Amino acid sequence: MIHIVDPRQDRLFDPFGGVIPSAGYRIIAGGWQGVFRHALLEVMPVGELAENFSQSLGAPTKELYSMAGLVFLADFHNWNAEQAVEVYIFRTDVQYALNLEPGVTVCSRTIERYQKLFRDNDLAAQVFHDVATVLIEKLELDITRQRLDSTHVFSHMADFGRTKLMGVAIKRFLTQVKRHAPESYDALSEPLRRRYEPAESHLFAGAKDAEARQRSRQQAAEDLLFIIEGFADRADMTGRSSYKALVTIFSQQCELSDGKVVVRAKTGGDCVQNPSDVDATYSGHKGKGYQVQLAETCAPENEVQLITGALPQTACEPDGGSVVPMLDQLEESKLLPEEMLADTLYCGDENVQAAETRGVELVGPIPGREPESDPAALTIDDFAVDERTGHVDACPQGHVPLVVERDQEAGTTRIEMAPEVCGGCPFRNACPINKTKDGRFKLEFTDKDHRLAGRRREQDTPVFTERYARRSGIESTNSGLKNRLGLKRLRVRGRGSVFRVMLHKVAGWNVLRAAASEKMRAWVSGQVAQALKRSESGPTAGLSAFVLRLWNRFHTVLAESQRRFHSIEGSHAA
């Protein structure tokens, strides 16, 4: 049965009266606990969680708002399941944040079950969106100016080289064979079995020099193919994840050439890095693992800056390919900016055009090396070009072209100038117009050439430098996420769990930043004061702290008795 206590509903009395002193309430009002309890607990995805339980059958669930909040807080604070149990039971500030009464209990398996529900239903993305939306609204932040960047994330896996990767994959499959089909394991050659009997950390440990490492790598590759082919007709083995990992790793790391196994010289980034986390990939710039794209407000008028968009990815995803998905996410969340600052990798012409169609100006340096030219040379940007039609109205000297040919479909323009005009022009040597062998003066360019010329000229101005300077502020956000919230190396692995934790940590960062806002602290203090006032004027206003604690304990025992009764009743009905 579903058990839900709406956090917006007033209690008969404050369950923390006499438990949390006035100094404690001041700390809560100025910390993440008050922000979460009064602004965010009510937006936890309780409705989606409730769909996984029966309305009438079975024992009552744990209170769903508190469990959804606990999953979020555990990822936010880097607690494992056992640590989450301890804070749920013993930490009064967490109980306050989750709208619980002292005396509640939970077990680690229950927490792991709810974490799986979050992972399977992609609820972390909804939590991030709702947290960002609520906090931006309450803080009345200006979202018209934002900045974009990515940060690398390493999951809970070992860092393997290619030889160790193949060796560990083989060892783990052979361990499964030995356990479930010992006769097949005994049928393997003794040298093969002995090669993979040592612990994972000691596999191929004797390869000290480059030649020995090369031999070990070739041996692991040949063993990989031998085992794949040897068990290919065993349906009881080919369905195992350890066998599938062998097939995937061989296809990525090796190839057959004239019947011989050859280890590929290069594999690219989209390949398995560790059998324990087959979803992690590789970036030559950042390393193995995952990454998250972040969009953050950067208007100077904002008291604090919050993250508005988060896009989890594997490490091999190029930054340039993330602009459109991020803008789509922001547009869906109704948090689309007017101006987005980003570094060079994001600011290709295609992305600038895609952002412009959404009403967003993507600001950043042009990718690639700028063509060498005389600083005094003229460019296409010096010509008078109609931005709507692409028609050239005049050259830099103000002369009208003799011929203007426009290919709208290809986005190209060709012009021809009068010889008497260009021949005597004082800017002839600086002008990009070319003189042909027959004495004509022509210039052909694309719309992209024209746009890039304008952007190059703009990014050399002091105005651009001053405008772009605020982009660097997101680096401090990346640093805070890693150093304060542990985003650099997570305690989970696998795409689903890693993405869930990344999104919850980013949402948690927003909670911490909101708690640092004077405006938010004042609002939370008002909510806490109102709750205390209602409690003091309620029917229990005259009770002593001792009696109040006794009443809390009685209420907890009564609730537990009711849960056990419903559990027994449900089992009899079944």
Side-chain angles (χ1 to χ4, degrees):
M1 291 195 310
I2 298 173
H3 175 42
I4 296 176
V5 177
D6 191 337
R8 293 168 293 186
Q9 179 180 342
D10 287 338
R11 293 178 179 271
L12 181 63
F13 59 86
D14 179 14
F16 297 96
V19 177
I20 300 179
S22 57
Y25 274 113
R26 287 195 297 272
I27 294 173
I28 284 173
W32 63 264
Q33 300 92 336
V35 174
F36 184 78
R37 166 68 184 86
H38 295 286
L40 302 175
L41 182 58
E42 63 188 60
V43 301
M44 291 294 105
V46 168
E48 290 75 7
L49 285 179
E51 293 176 359
N52 297 279
F53 302 97
S54 170
Q55 290 281 0
S56 56
L57 299 178
T61 65
K62 293 294 181 181
E63 199 283 307
L64 292 186
Y65 275 105
S66 70
M67 292 311 301
L70 182 61
V71 171
F72 167 65
L73 294 181
D75 292 339
F76 164 20
H77 290 289
N78 216 29
W79 300 329
N80 59 27
E82 289 73 20
Q83 291 170 326
V85 168
E86 292 180 5
V87 299
Y88 188 86
I89 296 174
F90 297 115
R91 276 186 52 174
T92 307
D93 65 326
V94 173
Q95 293 170 352
Y96 179 91
L98 297 176
N99 193 34
L100 294 170
E101 296 184 356
V104 293
T105 61
V106 73
C107 68
S108 59
R109 289 191 62 184
T110 299
I111 295 174
E112 291 167 355
R113 180 184 184 187
Y114 282 94
Q115 288 174 334
K116 184 177 185 301
L117 291 177
F118 264 73
R119 183 172 63 248
D120 294 345
N121 296 283
D122 195 24
L123 297 183
Q126 180 180 336
V127 168
F128 168 77
H129 165 265
D130 292 341
V131 167
T133 302
V134 168
L135 294 180
I136 288 172
E137 180 181 351
K138 290 192 177 299
L139 292 172
E140 299 178 332
L141 297 186
D142 180 1
I143 62 168
T144 58
R145 282 183 278 183
Q146 298 183 28
R147 50 198 175 200
L148 176 65
D149 198 13
S150 66
T151 188
H152 187 257
V153 179
F154 202 81
S155 66
H156 190 56
M157 67 176 188
D159 189 356
F160 289 159
R162 299 172 69 186
T163 306
K164 181 65 73 66
L165 170 67
M166 292 186 282
V168 169
I170 293 170
K171 177 178 175 60
R172 292 183 181 180
F173 176 71
L174 292 181
T175 301
Q176 295 291 309
V177 174
K178 184 176 182 180
R179 181 179 303 163
H180 300 285
E183 68 287 350
S184 299
Y185 181 80
D186 294 336
L188 297 172
S189 65
E190 183 177 354
L192 175 65
R193 291 181 312 202
R194 291 181 62 184
R195 269 198 297 275
Y196 299 98
E197 284 178 353
E200 292 181 0
S201 58
H202 292 88
L203 289 176
F204 302 110
K208 301 297 184 182
D209 55 69
E211 184 178 349
R213 288 195 294 271
Q214 181 63 33
R215 287 197 303 268
S216 297
R217 182 174 299 176
Q218 182 64 31
Q219 182 67 67
E222 293 174 0
D223 291 344
L224 201 59
L225 179 62
F226 175 79
I227 293 173
I228 290 173
E229 292 179 342
F231 289 88
D233 59 348
R234 294 285 301 273
D236 59 329
M237 290 296 169
T238 55
R240 295 185 177 278
S241 59
S242 55
Y243 182 86
K244 295 177 181 177
L246 294 181
V247 175
T248 302
I249 292 171
F250 183 83
S251 66
Q252 294 172 347
Q253 301 290 340
C254 312
E255 59 186 353
L256 289 175
S257 177
D258 297 329
K260 295 183 179 180
V261 179
V262 178
V263 180
R264 298 178 189 271
K266 294 184 178 180
T267 61
D270 190 10
C271 58
V272 174
Q273 304 300 309
N274 189 310
S276 297
D277 191 347
V278 295
D279 299 313
T281 58
Y282 178 78
S283 166
H285 176 58
K286 299 176 181 177
K288 303 175 181 179
Y290 299 83
Q291 65 184 12
V292 57
Q293 303 286 342
L294 301 175
E296 182 185 45
T297 62
C298 61
E301 298 81 11
N302 293 338
E303 184 183 1
V304 294
Q305 309 296 348
L306 297 187
I307 297 172
T308 56
L311 191 65
Q313 299 173 328
T314 60
C316 68
E317 297 288 338
D319 285 344
S322 306
V323 172
V324 172
M326 176 60 77
L327 293 177
D328 289 341
Q329 183 185 121
L330 294 173
E331 188 172 21
E332 185 178 352
S333 303
K334 296 181 174 55
L335 299 175
L336 201 63
E338 297 176 3
E339 174 186 297
M340 178 72 81
L341 307 177
D343 64 22
T344 307
L345 295 176
Y346 297 94
C347 294
D349 184 68
E350 296 79 8
N351 285 335
V352 172
Q353 293 301 106
E356 187 176 337
T357 61
R358 293 165 172 79
V360 179
E361 182 183 6
L362 186 61
V363 180
I366 299 173
R369 180 176 296 178
E370 183 176 351
E372 294 184 6
S373 62
D374 184 351
L378 300 175
T379 68
I380 301 170
D381 189 53
D382 292 299
F383 287 73
V385 181
D386 190 320
E387 299 291 345
R388 297 167 298 176
T389 64
H391 187 275
V392 178
D393 297 325
C395 75
Q397 272 290 86
H399 299 290
V400 178
L402 286 177
V403 179
V404 178
E405 294 180 354
R406 172 69 180 169
D407 187 337
Q408 195 67 35
E409 184 176 349
T412 59
T413 303
R414 188 185 73 84
I415 66 172
E416 182 176 340
M417 300 295 296
E420 60 273 14
V421 169
C422 288
C425 179
F427 298 107
R428 176 70 196 91
N429 294 331
C431 186
I433 288 183
N434 300 312
K435 184 178 181 180
T436 62
K437 292 181 180 180
D438 57 0
R440 301 161 71 183
F441 291 83
K442 295 181 178 180
L443 175 65
E444 185 172 345
F445 60 90
T446 65
D447 292 346
K448 181 178 179 179
D449 293 335
H450 182 226
R451 291 192 297 266
L452 292 181
R455 289 179 59 194
R456 286 193 179 96
R457 174 153 298 179
E458 181 187 4
Q459 73 182 32
D460 289 336
T461 63
V463 174
F464 177 87
T465 303
E466 181 181 355
R467 183 185 186 192
Y468 186 66
R470 296 192 66 82
R471 190 218 68 87
S472 61
I474 199 171
E475 300 295 348
S476 65
T477 299
N478 293 338
S479 178
L481 283 164
K482 291 182 175 182
N483 296 327
R484 188 170 180 181
L485 299 186
L487 187 65
K488 183 175 183 179
R489 190 180 188 102
L490 305 184
R491 303 179 74 166
V492 296
R493 55 177 172 258
R495 182 188 184 95
S497 295
V498 169
F499 281 18
R500 186 199 78 224
V501 175
M502 282 197 290
L503 288 167
H504 281 164
K505 284 189 179 297
V506 173
W509 176 261
N510 279 346
V511 176
L512 292 179
R513 297 308 303 143
S517 163
E518 291 289 346
K519 185 172 185 177
M520 179 59 75
R521 286 202 295 265
W523 181 83
V524 173
S525 296
Q527 297 297 310
V528 173
Q530 290 178 19
L532 289 174
K533 185 176 180 180
R534 287 193 297 268
S535 175
E536 291 171 357
S537 61
T540 60
L543 292 178
S544 66
F546 171 77
V547 175
L548 193 56
R549 287 194 295 270
L550 186 62
W551 173 257
N552 287 339
R553 183 58 183 163
F554 168 74
H555 188 275
T556 301
V557 172
L558 180 61
E560 185 64 26
S561 300
Q562 290 174 339
R563 293 191 188 98
R564 292 180 179 177
F565 173 76
H566 289 305
S567 176
I568 295 171
E569 188 179 48
S571 63
H572 285 323

